[in-house]
Amino acid sequence: MPTAGADATRLTKSQQTEPLLVVEGLKTHFATPNGLVKAVDGVSLSVARGKTLGVVGESGSGKTVLSRSIMRLNTAGNVITHGRVSYDGEDLLQESPKEMREIWGVEMAMVFQDPMTSLNPVVRVGRQMTEHIRHHLKVSKSEAAETAIELLRSVRIPEPEARFSNYPHEMSGGMRQRVCIAIALACGPKMLFADEPTTALDVTVQHQILNLLEQQQKDRFMTMIMVTHDLGVVAGRTDEIAVMYAGKIAEKAPTGELFADMRHPYTESLLRSIPKINQPKHTRLAAISGRPPDLINPPSGCAFSPRCPYAQPKCFEQTPPLTAAPAPGHQYACWFPVGSPEGNQAWETNMAAGRLQTLAAAGELNATEDIPATIGGG
Amino acid sequence: MVKVILSRLARLVATILAVTFITFIMTALLPGDPINAILPPDAPRDPEIVAQIREEFGLDDPVLVRYVNWLGNAARLDLGESYVNRGQSVMGEIKNRIPVTAQLAAMAIVFAVVISVPMGVVGAYRQGRAIDQATSAASQIALSVPNFITGIFLIWLFAVKLRWFPASNWNRWDKGIWANFRTAVLPASALALSQMAIFSRLVRSDMIATLQENYILSARAKGLNDRFILLRHALRPSSLSLVTIIGINFGALLGGTVVIETLFALPGLGFRLINAINSRDILMVQGITVFVATVYVVINTLVDVLYAFVDPRIRKG
Ligand SMILES: Nc1ncnc2c1ncn2[C@@H]1O[C@H](COP(=O)(O)OP(=O)(O)O)[C@@H](O)[C@H]1O
Ligand code: SF4
Ligand SMILES: [Mg+2]
């Protein structure tokens, strides 16, 4: 393969065991006329080499801002970032723009959400695939073209030589996303971010693209962060999952552990909102009632409390800290975790009191956005 | 593609007809009897001669008939003869003078583009910073100064004080390229200043919008440097409006160099037009106006075609 990813065998023992990426207390806030938008508000996580982390949450929970903050790609002029992002032992937040340009594409790359807009409409696919190969790897135009065509072949684009001279609008959405993946892989990055790589695509091609990403990640021993709003997408394809709510991590666990023993009511709500294949066709999905929180003035106490089926008076006053569950690597931030005696008690209390969010979660109400986010219990 | 070209051509012809008709009617409605232009003021008004002239120029026909006759001749590139300088053909005058005006307009546009594109790009890249504020302020000022003031200033500085370029007069091409260029620099610069201001604001605002695009972020995420991204990714998508306005303003300049041609005493079309208006030389006025309007319309059609080269998505359409 012309552009191999990080080779596991070349690394020393300590490098192999040390996580490639460690994020500590990352905060990304945007100063706006209406106030400070706390899009990412104290996130800590780590990803081991060759592993895949899924970041899941509703739209607006800060997933995109988080991944762009880690990669230092937040270009807005009003952005304020705090914390530590340690990549392969280097603190990325301290790097100069010039140093970052040596990291982008070569060390870390990103596949964006919308392949319709992330390719330049007036530049041929070939140039968009080769320009960074030539820039970073200092190879000739024809060598870069060969590499690019090889890449197009490896992401299973038919007739790669012909496609090479296409403009993006001459390709379908799925094809363009394959091109974007090929572009991201071109300089053999060690770490790949995929920000909702299939959200903008037809259902029929979503699986192909996800499989392609998984395959490439394994072949190249890449470390990957897969961002999605769909818990179903990351279920079978990640080693670990972090559930985000209002810019914070609500729950984090190895994938199997998360599905076997989820603790956070928000994770449970997300799971409930995945359509099940064996469900009769017109079963109404139990969507999460209420709107995502205001990131300028988040609810006091637990940010999920206005929408939470389990919420108790304590939740509206005190912010739950991230606590360790018995299983290694499992953490959650909740006062009344799912499946615990306190959680069950809270659920019963709310059912008895007729809390709308609880009734909706139990399937006894049509969950809609009309359910008011109540402040205070019941 | 053939269908597209045919429909563009049909639209072009329709527009030219409308434009010629309107200018013909408007100039025909100018107050004053053409006879007074054709006959010298002190010549005796012999009714027989007057009647003969009216017959010869078709002055008594209804306007519509005159238009159709005129159009028929115009289609054969015959725009009639000057009322005032008998025997001088309007087309000949246009041919004689258009090179001057076209050269001025073209040079003005080129000067403006060469300066405004880097200005706009830098302004967008450093949006809100000192350099952006300085260039924005400069173009604001440039926009509010009338051409002839700029012209007078340029004459004062570069012709009178520094003596680099002549203050007036025109050397044709056959006197040598440099001799010609020297006489064109100051008037072209005077015309260029406001164009530069318009262009740089346009490039800046289009560029700011382009820099928000996802594909610019993708380019950054590939580790390309800013200069490359600005010039090889952002500039072309940001130049659609510029291409349009260049076409429109070039057309407008062909008819809009009057003041500068007068100030610098240049033998261009605008100077001739003012002359013709002053002497009520209706056919000359009509001829020049229609010519300018037609060129304007043709240029705009060409701009449409040029679009397709800037944006490959349109090529298919
Ligand atoms: N430049 C910005 N200025 C202000 N707010 C922003 C900016 N960028 C993102 N946000 C806000 O940050 C929040 C999180 O956005 P995002 O990370 O895109 O969510 P997700 O990817 O999870 O859907 C949103 O409320 C969004 O409006
Ligand atoms: S139970 Fe309380 S702490 Fe837990 S998620 Fe619900 S509101 Fe938050
Ligand atoms: Mg997003």
Side-chain angles (χ1 to χ4, degrees):
Chain A
M1 204 166 305
T3 51
D7 186 348
T9 56
R10 274 206 311 263
L11 301 169
T12 64
K13 260 273 158 344
S14 76
Q15 274 177 316
Q16 278 182 47
T17 49
E18 214 171 86
L20 180 64
L21 180 77
V22 180
V23 175
E24 284 165 16
L26 185 64
K27 291 187 181 186
T28 304
H29 296 174
F30 298 101
T32 71
N34 300 327
L36 209 56
V37 178
K38 302 180 198 86
V40 173
D41 203 23
V43 166
S44 300
L45 52 83
S46 67
V47 196
R49 288 168 202 275
K51 300 290 182 194
T52 300
L53 169 73
V55 176
V56 190
E58 286 167 291
S59 143
S61 53
K63 309 179 298 291
T64 294
V65 173
L66 172 67
S67 49
R68 289 184 189 178
S69 301
I70 295 173
M71 259 186 94
R72 286 272 307 273
L73 278 174
N74 271 318
T75 47
N78 58 347
V79 61
I80 306 153
T81 309
H82 291 291
R84 241 178 77 84
V85 175
S86 160
Y87 170 82
D88 216 356
E90 278 180 77
D91 188 354
L92 287 190
L93 299 188
Q94 306 303 323
E95 302 284 86
S96 70
K98 190 164 176 293
E99 288 167 321
M100 281 316 298
R101 282 199 295 272
E102 295 305 313
I103 290 173
W104 288 327
V106 186
E107 293 288 329
M108 299 178 145
M110 187 177 283
V111 176
F112 293 89
Q113 173 166 348
D114 188 356
M116 299 299 167
T117 59
S118 47
L119 291 171
N120 192 330
V122 305
V123 178
R124 286 180 205 277
V125 165
R127 204 194 93 201
Q128 301 196 54
M129 290 197 62
T130 52
E131 55 190 4
H132 58 314
I133 301 180
R134 293 178 63 191
H135 175 75
H136 289 302
L137 308 182
K138 307 278 182 261
V139 297
S140 74
K141 199 170 174 171
S142 59
E143 282 173 298
E146 260 172 55
T147 308
I149 287 171
E150 207 42 57
L151 277 161
L152 286 175
R153 213 185 302 283
S154 80
V155 296
R156 303 209 191 84
I157 287 190
E159 302 173 58
E161 288 87 358
R163 289 307 183 177
F164 186 78
S165 48
N166 273 176
Y167 283 100
H169 71 268
E170 294 167 313
M171 296 181 163
S172 69
M175 194 96 89
R176 283 191 227 185
Q177 194 62 303
R178 287 172 193 270
V179 169
C180 291
I181 293 171
I183 288 175
L185 299 177
C187 300
K190 294 197 195 79
M191 172 132 210
L192 185 68
F193 290 79
D195 186 357
E196 311 231 20
T198 59
T199 306
L201 301 178
D202 278 356
V203 189
T204 47
V205 289
Q206 288 187 356
H207 272 272
Q208 299 169 8
I209 295 290
L210 291 170
N211 291 343
L212 174 66
L213 277 170
E214 195 179 358
Q215 188 63 47
Q216 294 288 343
Q217 183 262 332
K218 294 217 164 78
D219 289 352
R220 293 162 187 263
F221 194 69
M222 282 187 298
T223 308
M224 185 151 96
I225 289 190
M226 164 85 79
V227 170
T228 175
H229 65 274
D230 184 352
L231 202 50
V233 162
V234 287
R237 306 177 190 274
T238 52
D239 299 292
E240 209 185 350
I241 290 176
V243 177
M244 264 186 100
Y245 190 77
K248 291 191 166 79
I249 288 185
E251 184 163 19
K252 192 170 64 174
T255 304
E257 160 74 8
L258 187 84
F259 284 99
D261 187 23
M262 60 181 54
R263 293 303 178 99
H264 203 283
Y266 179 62
T267 315
E268 192 187 46
S269 307
L270 279 179
L271 186 65
R272 219 182 279 123
S273 65
I274 304 177
K276 310 235 172 11
I277 302 196
N278 52 6
Q279 227 164 22
K281 251 212 173 128
H282 294 288
T283 312
R284 216 179 280 273
L285 287 181
I288 308 173
S289 55
R291 292 175 190 286
D294 179 357
L295 296 175
I296 296 175
N297 298 303
S300 59
C302 173
F304 191 48
S305 57
R307 305 166 70 191
C308 179
Y310 297 79
Q312 297 299 304
K314 182 182 186 184
C315 304
F316 296 92
E317 283 149 21
Q318 297 175 40
T319 309
L322 210 53
T323 339
H330 189 172
Q331 290 176 303
Y332 59 90
C334 177
W335 296 125
F336 302 94
V338 178
S340 69
E342 315 88 84
N344 292 340
Q345 180 63 46
W347 177 278
E348 294 306 327
T349 311
N350 285 349
M351 280 300 274
R355 178 170 161 90
L356 293 174
Q357 289 77 358
T358 320
L359 293 173
E364 294 185 13
L365 261 185
N366 286 335
T368 64
E369 299 219 333
D370 304 334
I371 296 182
T374 44
I375 305 297
Chain B
M1 195 64 201
V2 176
K3 231 169 107 185
V4 174
I5 292 175
L6 282 182
S7 87
R8 289 247 165 91
L9 274 180
R11 207 165 65 194
L12 180 67
V13 171
T15 317
I16 288 175
L17 282 179
V19 162
T20 54
F21 182 71
I22 292 167
T23 40
F24 190 95
I25 299 292
M26 300 233 291
T27 43
L29 292 179
L30 281 178
D33 191 335
I35 284 294
N36 295 333
I38 298 167
L39 286 176
D42 44 0
R45 296 289 191 268
D46 181 342
E48 222 165 88
I49 295 178
V50 168
Q52 195 194 325
I53 291 174
R54 296 192 83 86
E55 169 71 32
E56 185 189 332
F57 284 92
L59 295 180
D60 292 326
D61 294 338
V63 167
L64 219 55
V65 173
R66 269 154 57 202
Y67 172 67
V68 171
N69 288 340
W70 177 90
L71 192 65
N73 291 332
R76 277 173 274 125
L77 297 184
D78 174 9
L79 293 174
E81 278 182 12
S82 164
Y83 285 166
V84 179
N85 306 322
R86 300 293 299 273
Q88 185 182 59
S89 97
V90 173
M91 205 61 201
E93 269 302 271
I94 292 174
K95 270 192 198 144
N96 215 358
R97 289 165 178 274
I98 190 63
V100 177
T101 303
Q103 185 187 341
L104 282 180
M107 279 176 67
I109 298 276
V110 171
F111 287 178
V113 168
V114 166
I115 296 171
S116 68
V117 168
M119 243 172 102
V121 170
V122 168
Y125 179 54
R126 294 264 173 245
Q127 192 191 350
R129 311 270 192 86
I131 179 112
D132 178 33
Q133 291 184 352
T135 52
S136 292
S139 53
Q140 183 66 51
I141 293 167
L143 209 52
S144 56
V145 179
N147 279 344
F148 71 94
I149 300 286
T150 316
I152 290 170
F153 174 77
L154 291 177
I155 289 175
W156 173 77
L157 183 61
F158 293 106
V160 178
K161 287 282 162 198
L162 299 171
R163 296 174 173 278
W164 289 356
F165 301 104
S168 68
N169 263 321
W170 184 261
N171 288 330
R172 292 196 174 258
W173 283 102
D174 46 28
K175 295 214 175 140
I177 290 187
W178 174 240
N180 164 272
F181 184 77
R182 268 171 53 89
T183 54
V185 167
L186 292 188
S189 306
L191 291 169
L193 191 70
S194 55
Q195 301 294 328
M196 178 206 77
I198 297 169
F199 295 173
S200 68
R201 292 167 135 220
L202 205 65
V203 171
R204 177 183 176 275
S205 64
D206 280 7
M207 192 80 167
I208 286 174
T210 304
L211 292 178
Q212 305 296 319
E213 296 282 349
N214 285 337
Y215 55 81
I216 297 299
L217 185 68
S218 316
R220 280 175 62 82
K222 286 152 86 173
L224 302 173
N225 63 46
D226 293 357
R227 204 186 141 89
F228 187 92
I229 293 174
L230 286 173
L231 299 181
R232 300 299 304 276
H233 277 278
L235 187 55
R236 202 138 78 105
S238 309
S239 54
L240 280 177
S241 330
L242 182 67
V243 169
T244 316
I245 203 86
I246 284 176
I248 291 175
N249 285 11
F250 181 74
L253 274 180
L254 290 183
T257 55
V258 179
V259 174
I260 288 300
E261 283 180 13
T262 313
L263 179 66
F264 286 87
L266 306 178
L269 213 51
F271 198 37
R272 186 69 184 90
L273 180 64
I274 285 294
N275 233 307
I277 291 173
N278 285 339
S279 56
R280 298 255 172 273
D281 194 348
I282 305 294
L283 270 189
M284 187 62 83
V285 174
Q286 267 170 9
I288 294 178
T289 318
V290 162
F291 175 81
V292 169
T294 306
V295 170
Y296 189 81
V297 173
V298 171
I299 286 174
N300 277 315
T301 308
L302 287 179
V303 168
D304 276 358
V305 177
L306 236 174
Y307 247 55
F309 284 95
V310 179
D311 190 338
R313 283 167 299 180
I314 303 172
R315 259 173 243 174
K316 282 190 151 177

